[in-house]
Amino acid sequence: MEVPNNKIRPEFSILLAVSFAHLLNDLIQGVIPSVYPLLKEEHQLSFSQIGMITFVYQIAASIFQPVVGSFTDKNPIPYSQIIGMTFSIAGMALFAYAPSYALILCAVFLVGIGSSIFHPESSRVAYMASGGKRSMAQSIFQIGGNAGTALAPIIVAYLVLPKGQSSIAWFCAIGLIGQVVSFYIGNWYSRRLKNRAKNALNAIKIPDLSEARVVSTVIILMLLIISKYFYIASITNYFQFYTMEKFGITEIQAQVYLFYFLIAVAAGTLLGGLFGDRFGRKYVIWFSVLGVAPFSLLLPYVDYTMTGVLVVIIGLILSSAFPAIIVYAQELLPKKLGMVSGLFYGFAFGMGGLGSALLGWQADHTSIEFIYHICSYLPLIGVVAYFLPNLQKTPYKEVL
């Protein structure tokens, strides 16, 4: 973290560009869970097999992100987003025409690789363009991804479900647009790297915490991510099946309910960033994870209308945590921005994938409704946020 300069302002053109690129990237990703009802019917898949699709995709996205982040900390790659989009385009092309379950797994693996390349450097760009308003910048970046994820089920409902699996190929065009936007971002990033090279001895401010305290803080953040992303996996991967089975609605109606949740996630992400800069990231993290518990505990017991209301409230509150968690971790370890971004994005993807696989197995052995009774208790893990140090009140020291 460079010593703040009060004259520096956020570069909104870059923040909006990287947010839009994130929208396109996560729109492609969002196609995968959105077509699960179609894949289940066409390929006769079990819930366990559906969970494994998410697991393969998100493990590919999670394992490589810290590696990419650590590498780019030492060797920045301004145009890495273009490389990531190339993998995603290849994955979508294969996904559209995959005739077997094995090739579907290969396709989502490629999309996962693309995501693992895209996120670390994109998060660094948002940090660099923030002008000191880091939660706001991270939330602008994140809201693009959430908006893309939210749009996916609606587009799939009206473009893919009526026409079949091959129509997924249209999403390759989204990747091509993403490459154009990423080229613009890469040009700006390249110029910033040249300017930074001229001022190589900028001071870095780091929290004056012991190594043990830093490690325990990272563990707490990871526990919170487990809670958040296991619960989100239950919604994004199985909520369509839950509402169709419990309330007897159609696939398209179920996709609209999922859309409500994902739009609420996008709005909550923006609010979380604004509140994080204003009130402190620790308090936003604490409220976001633990505050959703009353609503998640109530969800399995309400009717059709209240289910829609509650998933909106849950999405709004739960999503506000992630920008705050990312920026909190970046400020905790400011000399390792790429590694931190890759680690936390990767861990989030990995926990989402693991959660999806475990919940799919559980649904096959019990019922789709039963997993919502189990998952309703996950937000209670948010109580551990109490033990996070308040970085706004922590002394800092400067190092080169």
Side-chain angles (χ1 to χ4, degrees), residues 164-398:
Q165 184 178 338
S166 62
S167 57
I168 293 172
W170 283 104
F171 288 91
C172 293
I174 301 295
L176 293 173
I177 296 170
Q179 289 184 318
V180 174
V181 177
S182 296
F183 182 75
Y184 169 74
I185 297 167
N187 285 339
W188 176 87
Y189 189 9
S190 182
R191 291 194 299 270
R192 281 296 298 264
L193 289 175
K194 291 177 182 177
N195 291 335
R196 177 177 288 185
K198 296 177 183 178
N199 301 281
L201 295 178
N202 282 340
I204 302 290
K205 292 178 69 177
I206 63 174
D208 193 8
L209 299 171
S210 68
E211 184 176 346
R213 184 68 163 139
V214 170
V215 170
S216 66
T217 300
V218 170
I219 291 171
I220 291 171
L221 293 175
M222 288 185 167
L223 284 174
L224 296 172
I225 286 176
I226 291 171
S227 168
K228 171 182 165 66
Y229 278 90
F230 264 60
Y231 192 84
I232 286 181
S234 76
I235 301 290
T236 56
N237 293 289
Y238 302 109
F239 193 66
Q240 302 132 293
F241 300 110
Y242 172 73
T243 52
M244 288 164 61
E245 181 177 305
K246 186 173 182 179
F247 303 116
I249 62 176
T250 65
E251 285 184 16
I252 291 180
Q253 288 173 311
Q255 295 279 28
V256 171
Y257 257 50
L258 180 59
F259 173 73
Y260 292 158
F261 170 76
L262 295 172
I263 282 294
V265 166
T269 298
L270 181 60
L271 292 174
L274 296 175
F275 291 149
D277 283 329
R278 185 177 180 85
F279 300 110
R281 285 170 265 285
K282 172 180 176 176
Y283 301 111
V284 169
I285 294 168
W286 194 2
F287 169 75
S288 175
V289 183
L290 187 59
V292 83
F295 306 102
S296 66
L297 290 167
L298 187 59
L299 182 65
Y301 303 100
V302 298
D303 61 16
Y304 177 70
T305 301
M306 281 304 298
T307 294
V309 172
L310 287 181
V311 294
V312 169
I313 295 173
I314 289 169
L316 198 64
I317 297 175
L318 190 60
S319 61
S320 61
F322 197 63
I325 289 174
I326 289 291
V327 175
Y328 185 100
Q330 289 175 335
E331 292 181 344
L332 187 69
L333 297 164
K335 295 184 70 176
K336 301 178 180 179
L337 292 181
M339 186 273 289
V340 166
S341 300
L343 174 64
F344 279 88
Y345 273 105
F347 190 70
F349 275 94
M351 289 303 100
L354 180 60
S356 178
L358 292 176
L359 293 174
W361 179 87
Q362 185 67 48
D364 279 335
H365 288 77
T366 55
S367 69
I368 196 70
E369 189 171 346
F370 181 70
I371 67 172
Y372 285 92
H373 288 273
I374 296 174
C375 291
S376 66
Y377 294 95
L378 286 172
L380 294 175
I381 296 174
V383 71
V384 301
Y386 173 80
F387 300 101
L388 290 173
N390 188 339
L391 295 184
Q392 290 183 316
K393 297 180 180 180
T394 299
Y396 278 73
K397 57 186 178 181
E398 293 186 4

Side-chain angles (χ1 to χ4, degrees), residues 111-126:
V111 176
I113 295 295
S115 181
S116 72
I117 296 171
F118 176 86
H119 281 100
E121 284 290 74
S122 297
S123 183
R124 189 200 303 272
V125 167

Side-chain angles (χ1 to χ4, degrees), residues 32-111:
I32 296 171
S34 298
V35 298
Y36 284 166
L38 175 67
L39 296 179
K40 190 175 191 298
E41 182 177 342
E42 287 194 3
H43 295 273
Q44 299 298 304
L45 304 180
S46 67
F47 285 120
S48 296
Q49 288 175 307
I50 287 172
M52 186 56 63
I53 293 173
T54 302
F55 180 74
V56 168
Y57 154 68
Q58 294 193 321
I59 286 297
S62 65
I63 289 176
F64 292 102
Q65 286 203 44
V67 176
V68 172
S70 295
F71 179 81
T72 55
D73 277 334
K74 299 176 182 177
N75 306 281
I77 305 175
Y79 300 97
S80 62
Q81 294 98 326
I82 296 176
I83 301 171
M85 286 289 184
T86 300
F87 277 92
S88 295
I89 292 168
M92 281 290 102
L94 179 58
F95 196 17
Y97 300 104
S100 66
Y101 180 64
L103 284 178
I104 289 173
L105 294 180
C106 291
V108 300
F109 183 83
L110 288 174
V111 176

